Amino acid sequence: MTGKPGGGTAPAPGPGRDAAPAPEADRDAAPAPGLRERKKARTRQALSDAAIALFLERGFDGVSVAEVAAAAEVSKPTLFRYFPAKEDLVLYRFADHRDEPARVVEAGRAAGTAPLDALYAHLRDGLERRDPVTGLCDAPEVLAYHRLLYGTPALLARLHAYQAGAEDSLAGALGGDPLVARLAAAQIVAVLRVLADGNAARIAGGETADAVAEDAVAAAGRAFGTLREGLPYGSPKPLVPE
């Protein structure tokens, strides 16, 4: 999936935390964070931003955790209280996205929408908004983040762990037979990743988001049509791009 500007691909797919917003029902149900939580969120954001700025300038392996802490004006122990691993400083931009498919399914179900229909509509909306999580974003900061992410094996390994978490939460949201739910979640997360990676690869190759958009929408329709044929989580109507 792709993260936020500068987010990367992955569950994916934005700091300044412009992640794809949670569904309305989900946001309305969640209590407003308290002062302590807001302060922690600001600290995490500042640490992540400082780290990514250094990594983009000198490479992930060329910057130590101590240097990140110094740039953010905190101690190493403080940094590790917020981010247990160096890789997490970068993948923080995926934090909002890891459970996003599950949130979309839950909000859709509350509105009487089948899971695959809710996910497809959410993806189409993301493509329309050029959400980085869809890979259909050509903002310079997003492209720079992609180069950092995909050029660093340690970050890719950590990204896979985030995707595994996305599968777990989505399986729980889908419900029903545990095996069927886990198989479905794995397929859905893989489809979202493949679609986002395909869009991002074309943009990295020099195409604009607008030039890729029509093909991205068509690919999304085909991919979810394939999911619908094999998974018991969709309505029977065909998905035809508008």
Side-chain angles (χ1 to χ4, degrees):
M1 268 180 244
T2 316
K4 316 148 191 176
T9 322
R17 303 299 281 178
D18 59 334
E24 290 293 338
D26 187 56
R27 291 206 304 273
D28 292 343
L35 177 60
R36 185 180 181 187
E37 288 71 24
R38 294 198 301 272
K39 289 178 66 175
K40 285 183 176 180
R42 287 195 296 269
T43 300
R44 287 192 183 92
Q45 187 63 63
L47 290 170
S48 178
D49 288 347
I52 290 173
L54 289 173
F55 297 154
L56 289 174
E57 179 183 351
R58 292 157 49 190
F60 182 78
D61 295 325
V63 178
S64 69
V65 171
E67 289 173 309
V68 173
E73 299 182 334
V74 300
S75 67
K76 279 182 63 176
T78 295
L79 186 149
F80 280 124
R81 282 202 298 272
Y82 285 93
F83 293 101
K86 181 181 175 183
E87 292 81 4
D88 293 331
L89 286 158
V90 179
L91 273 297
Y92 179 58
R93 293 189 172 181
F94 287 97
D96 291 342
H97 292 298
R98 190 185 68 172
D99 297 329
E100 188 172 280
R103 293 196 304 266
V104 170
V105 166
E106 290 166 351
R109 181 173 285 123
T113 303
L116 286 178
D117 295 347
L119 288 164
Y120 177 69
H122 186 72
L123 174 58
R124 286 292 307 275
D125 178 67
L127 291 170
E128 179 68 25
R129 291 184 289 105
R130 302 295 190 262
D131 189 335
V133 76
T134 68
L136 192 64
C137 182
D138 52 13
E141 62 270 27
V142 173
L143 299 182
Y145 182 88
H146 284 178
R147 289 191 293 270
L148 171 66
L149 179 65
Y150 290 105
T152 309
L155 294 177
L156 284 177
R158 184 64 103 189
L159 176 58
H160 293 156
Y162 272 70
Q163 291 172 334
E167 291 179 15
D168 289 342
S169 63
L170 178 56
L174 290 172
D177 182 280
L179 176 60
V180 174
R182 288 191 64 81
L183 290 172
Q187 292 178 63
I188 291 166
V189 170
V191 162
L192 293 173
R193 174 182 57 78
V194 168
L195 291 172
D197 287 352
N199 296 335
R202 289 183 59 178
I203 290 173
E207 296 183 71
T208 67
D210 288 346
V212 177
E214 184 176 353
D215 288 345
V217 170
R222 289 177 59 196
F224 271 79
T226 299
L227 287 173
R228 183 185 301 282
E229 291 174 3
L231 299 178
Y233 294 104
S235 64
K237 64 183 180 183
L239 292 175
V240 179
E242 297 172 2

